[in-house]
Structure formats: C-alpha cells, structure tokens
C-alpha cells in the first residue's frame, strides 16, 4: 500500500530470524494468495512448516509455491472458493492426501463489503459477508478439526478484525460477521479443548494490504483516518500480523486457547 498522507509515519524495516517455531508441522492457510495470507505462507515455511496454500487466485498461489520451494521450503497449492462449502471440504481433503494429517490451520480468507452505512447495505452484501466471512470459517473449522482429531490434536487461528470489537458504521455487515466469528472461535476452543485442539483468533487493525487499498479507493481519506487512530502511528505490515499467528499455531502457545488477540498497534485499547 502507498499513500501520500503526510501524517503517516513510514513503517520501520521489520525482520525476524526464523527459529523453527513450526518445524515438522503441516499447516493449511486460506486466503494465502496475497496480504496477510501470503506473508504467513512465507513465514510459516521459513519457520519449518509444510504449508498448503488455498485461495481463488491459483496463478498467485503457484508463484508463491515456486518462491517458497526455491528458498528450500515445502509448499503446495489448492484452489479454494470460500463461498462454496464443497470447495472448502475439498481443500482440507487435499491436505490429507498430501500429508495424511493436519497440525495447524490459519483461516485467513475474507472479503470486504461495499463501504457504506447500515441502511444502504444490500441483501447481496449480507449474503456474501455471511458466506465468506462467517460460514466458510464454520465449515473449515469443522473439517480441519475432524482431520486434526485423527492426529491427536492441533491448532486453529482465525483472522477476525478490529471492526469486530466495536461498532462498525462504515462496514456494518463485515463487522457483524467478524464478531460472529469471534464467538464461534471461543465456542470451538471450549468444545474442542478436551480433544487437544486449540482455537484462537486475531483482530488486526489497519494493515497495509490490498483490502485497505480497495477501501481507500471507495472512501478516499480512510487510510489517514485509520492511521491517526493508531497509537503506534502507522499501519501494520502483513508479516507483523503473521508473526502473531505463527506463535499461536506453535507449541510455544500450548496453554493459549479461546483468545481473541488484538494486532492493531493499540487502536482498540
């Protein structure tokens, strides 16, 4: 993302040295073709995971798989339409075909609604938000948990949004579905905890992704407004969000489940 906003502080160079947090784990990533999902794909592979990348944009996935393999990582791609329950199940089935198990899942795929107030949000917006930003996670979590159960457990991380934690007048349907996602994340954690399956969520704030670019195009000035609301004074880089998901999927977070973790630079404090 680029912006000419003079009040936006440039993001610092962010680097971390891989330490093998996910060594030996098989991890599925939805929405892996761009933004936070693509950053997670690179990071999880660098941390030792065999990653299976799922999204609609198969060309972008293939390029990412090639990149990861060139760096010595293990990666495969599978097409995924989050609005299609059959496609979601097929993606999880493909993980089993490739690896015979699933240790972690990062359910990151989402779609933005047409920005606008509640009374102009269309039925089509509601239907799309429900299908992609809620039902797809419901379907994926159940399929993922079924496969994890056969392997003795695992960890799931769902990408929610800062917009789920408070009123969201500009994106009412998006915020509502993300809040519902928080609820089923917490419920799944309590339900599946005895089976060794941890389930957590993350709520990114303003993050320099294509989704923010689309929002800025529809609502000029939104980047500046979001940035000024962040105590750290800048948008997050996608990798910074992926770092939190990495830790939650790792054994270092073995006693963390049912958490909805803010990754928003303090904007929600």
């Amino acid at each position: 993302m680029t912006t000419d906003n003079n009040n936006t502080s440039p993001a610092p160079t962010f680097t971390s040295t891989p330490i093998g947090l996910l060594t030996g784990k098989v991890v599925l990533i939805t929405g892996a073709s761009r933004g936070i999902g693509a950053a997670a794909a690179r990071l999880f592979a660098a941390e030792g995971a065999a990653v299976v990348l799922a999204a609609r944009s198969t060309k972008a996935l293939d390029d990412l798989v090639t990149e990861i393999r060139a760096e010595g990582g293990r990666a495969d791609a599978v097409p995924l339409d989050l609005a299609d329950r059959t496609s979601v199940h097929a993606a999880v089935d493909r993980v089993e075909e490739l690896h015979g198990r699933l240790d972690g899942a990062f359910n990151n795929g989402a779609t933005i609604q047409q920005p606008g107030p509640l009374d102009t949000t269309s039925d089509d917006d509601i239907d799309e938000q429900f299908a992609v930003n809620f039902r797809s996670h419901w379907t994926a979590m159940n399929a993922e948990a079924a496969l994890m159960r056969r392997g003795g457990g695992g960890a799931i991380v769902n990408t929610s949004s800062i917009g789920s934690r408070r009123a969201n007048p500009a994106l009412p349907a998006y915020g509502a579905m993300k809040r519902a996602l928080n609820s089923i994340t917490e419920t799944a954690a309590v339900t599946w905890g005895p089976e060794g399956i941890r389930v957590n969520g993350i709520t990114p704030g303003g993050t320099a992704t294509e989704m923010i670019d689309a929002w800025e195009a529809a609502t000029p000035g939104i980047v500046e407004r979001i940035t000024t609301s962040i105590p750290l004074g800048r948008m997050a880089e996608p990798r910074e969000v992926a770092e939190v998901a990495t830790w939650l999927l790792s054994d270092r977070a073995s006693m963390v489940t049912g958490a909805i973790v803010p990754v928003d630079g303090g904007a929600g404090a």
Side-chain angles (χ1 to χ4, degrees):
M1 183 196 74
T2 59
T3 177
D4 291 328
N5 172 23
N6 293 327
N7 295 322
T8 302
S9 301
T13 300
F14 179 80
T15 59
S16 64
T17 302
I19 58 175
L21 280 176
L22 301 178
T23 296
K25 295 187 182 296
V26 175
V27 181
L28 171 66
I29 306 168
T30 71
S33 62
R34 61 183 187 172
I36 294 169
R42 296 181 179 97
L43 181 58
F44 294 0
E47 290 288 355
V51 294
V52 180
L53 314 181
R56 284 188 301 178
S57 180
T58 54
K59 173 62 168 62
L61 288 184
D62 290 342
D63 290 344
L64 190 51
V65 165
T66 298
E67 176 189 332
I68 290 170
R69 289 177 177 175
E71 294 292 326
R74 298 176 62 193
D76 293 280
V78 58
L80 172 66
D81 180 356
L82 286 169
D84 182 346
R85 283 170 285 188
T86 300
S87 179
V88 174
H89 282 287
V92 177
D93 289 344
R94 181 58 177 154
V95 176
E96 185 174 20
E97 291 172 4
L98 288 166
H99 297 284
R101 71 180 203 278
L102 179 63
D103 304 303
F106 184 34
N107 296 319
N108 174 72
T111 187
I112 195 72
Q113 74 164 97
Q114 179 64 34
L118 184 65
D119 54 357
T120 65
T121 300
S122 70
D123 288 346
D124 288 343
D125 279 332
I126 292 288
D127 290 344
E128 181 181 43
Q129 290 298 305
F130 174 78
V132 177
N133 291 343
F134 180 74
R135 191 185 65 199
S136 70
H137 293 280
W138 177 290
T139 303
M141 287 169 61
N142 277 286
E144 291 155 359
L147 183 51
M148 289 175 179
R149 219 170 267 127
R150 297 200 288 273
I156 297 171
V157 175
N158 295 321
T159 299
S160 183
S161 167
I162 188 175
S164 71
R165 306 179 75 102
R166 59 194 185 194
N168 197 343
L171 302 170
Y174 178 84
M177 298 309 163
K178 290 294 191 178
R179 184 172 293 195
L181 176 59
N182 294 352
S183 178
I184 62 164
T185 296
E186 292 166 339
T187 297
V190 173
T191 304
W192 298 336
E195 300 173 277
I197 299 172
R198 296 185 299 105
V199 188
N200 294 290
I202 58 174
T203 55
T207 306
T209 66
E210 293 89 339
M211 186 176 287
I212 286 288
D213 288 338
W215 194 3
E216 175 70 19
T219 312
I222 194 64
V223 166
E224 180 178 357
R225 292 200 295 275
I226 290 173
T227 302
T228 57
S229 74
I230 300 172
L232 289 183
R234 62 177 179 85
M235 293 274 188
E237 292 299 316
R239 176 162 173 149
E240 292 177 290
V241 180
E243 289 279 358
V244 180
T246 304
W247 181 74
L248 288 170
L249 290 170
S250 79
D251 293 339
R252 297 285 183 91
S254 58
M255 200 59 183
V256 182
T257 195
I260 307 296
V261 182
V263 194
D264 58 19

